[in-house]
Amino acid sequence: MRSGWSKSKELPVFDPMCGSGTIAIEAAMMATNRAPALNRKRWGFTKWAQHDERLWQSILSHADEQICEHDSPIVANDNQSRLIAISKKNADQAGVFKYITFSQQDALKLKMDFSTPGFMVSNPPYGGRRSDIPSLVPFFNEWGGVLKQAFGDWNVSVLSSQLELLR
């Protein structure tokens, strides 16, 4: 949402380092107006004494009726086939698999064919310890060059708690 894409859902959204697919899945859910966890089978509150099952089913039915189709590109990319498999599984469980295109490429050698610029949103790996940061600086420097060259006309949002890497 902070990237601005939620106001321009007709434009592509692309995550070059998707990991488990969270960004693409959330984008697909937003684009299709799908309520969070709509496919969930069990809820703890359904065992409460005051739980109104008819009301709950009515709420679920209403949420289901709000779902719409979406045809603008949502692309999840990662360089690891294991992570692409996890992303696909997660997208399927969320009910949005058909709205996401999955790609396996190195983020430093991206070759994507989009008909129009859009929104590149990513939460790249940044190491678990501060001691990891120096080893990641060369990657982030090179990736910054790739973004400037290949995604210069795009809105780019990078999520990171490591400001040193974003510089």
Side-chain angles (χ1 to χ4, degrees), residues 53-88:
E53 184 61 23
R54 241 178 57 213
L55 175 60
W56 178 238
Q57 290 305 318
S58 170
I59 291 168
L60 288 176
S61 179
H62 177 74
D64 199 44
E65 291 168 2
Q66 303 307 306
I67 296 173
C68 59
E69 291 297 312
H70 180 75
D71 59 3
S72 292
I74 299 173
V75 179
N77 178 78
D78 206 285
N79 68 341
Q80 297 180 42
S81 60
R82 177 182 65 81
L83 292 175
I84 293 296
I86 291 169
S87 296
K88 287 178 176 182

Side-chain angles (χ1 to χ4, degrees), residues 93-141:
Q93 287 177 338
V96 295
F97 182 89
K98 73 178 189 176
Y99 300 105
I100 302 172
T101 301
F102 297 91
S103 168
Q104 185 180 345
Q105 294 184 58
D106 184 328
L108 298 178
K109 300 174 181 152
L110 291 171
K111 300 243 186 303
M112 302 303 296
D113 186 26
F114 292 98
S115 61
T116 181
F119 290 79
M120 196 281 300
V121 182
S122 192
N123 183 11
Y126 47 83
R129 299 178 298 273
R130 285 192 66 72
S131 61
D132 296 336
I133 293 172
S135 66
L136 293 171
V137 169
F139 168 81
F140 273 79
N141 281 336

Side-chain angles (χ1 to χ4, degrees), residues 7 11 18 22 32 36-37 47 65 70 130:
K7 296 178 184 124
L11 295 175
C18 71
T22 303
T32 59
K47 301 295 183 195
E65 291 168 2
H70 180 75
R130 285 192 66 72

Side-chain angles (χ1 to χ4, degrees), residues 3 118-122 143 147 151-152 154-158:
S3 73
F119 290 79
M120 196 281 300
V121 182
S122 192
W143 189 50
L147 294 180
F151 295 91
W154 285 58
N155 294 288
V156 175
S157 297
V158 179

